Amino acid sequence: MLDHDIISALKQVLDPEMGISIVDLGLVYRADWTAEGIVVDMTTTAPTCPFGEVMARAAKAALRRAFTETPSVQVRLLWDPPWSPERMTEEGRFALGWEFGEPFSDTRH
């Protein structure tokens, strides 16, 4: 589930290499409220990305700023399912210069 308010707060978190929001890159798999607080599951564009922990800390900080009364903010890095460009928003594709609906090549396989 992707809660609109949580996603809005995460839009300010940028991938340090690409300068594009982690939301628009499609890196956020889950952004939800639980009885304890907020839980976010996110990934990176590749398991070897050196900025995963940096982005996770930035996401947690952004959520702490936006939801000061929330007792718990948990951001977890996952690699399953693997990220794919298909997860990107139209804004993310535009930021990379891709036309909406433009085919792409996944060269990881």
Side-chain angles (χ1 to χ4, degrees), residues 85-104:
E86 295 156 335
R87 296 192 47 83
M88 293 173 60
T89 66
E90 186 173 345
E91 291 86 0
R93 295 173 70 82
F94 179 78
L96 291 175
W98 295 354
E99 297 291 325
F100 184 71
E102 180 180 323
F104 56 87

Side-chain angles (χ1 to χ4, degrees), residues 15 18-19 25 33-34 44 51 54 56 65 102:
D15 178 297
M18 300 181 135
L25 282 173
W33 292 95
T34 67
T44 59
F51 297 108
V54 170
R65 282 191 303 275
E102 180 180 323

Side-chain angles (χ1 to χ4, degrees), residues 1-7 23 28-32 41 87:
M1 177 172 212
L2 297 175
D3 179 85
H4 174 74
D5 294 330
I6 298 171
I7 290 296
V23 171
V28 179
Y29 290 164
R30 176 186 180 196
D32 201 9
D41 291 340
R87 296 192 47 83

Side-chain angles (χ1 to χ4, degrees), residues 15-93:
D15 178 297
E17 287 184 301
M18 300 181 135
I20 300 171
S21 156
I22 63 172
V23 171
D24 291 329
L25 282 173
L27 301 180
V28 179
Y29 290 164
R30 176 186 180 196
D32 201 9
W33 292 95
T34 67
E36 294 79 33
I38 296 172
V39 175
V40 170
D41 291 340
M42 62 175 288
T43 192
T44 59
T45 55
T48 57
C49 174
F51 297 108
E53 290 294 332
V54 170
M55 289 188 291
R57 284 193 304 272
K60 188 171 186 174
L63 294 169
R64 285 265 180 229
R65 282 191 303 275
F67 304 101
T68 57
E69 301 297 316
T70 302
S72 172
V73 175
Q74 196 176 72
V75 178
R76 304 181 294 204
L77 280 173
L78 308 174
W79 288 272
D80 189 28
W83 177 83
S84 165
E86 295 156 335
R87 296 192 47 83
M88 293 173 60
T89 66
E90 186 173 345
E91 291 86 0
R93 295 173 70 82

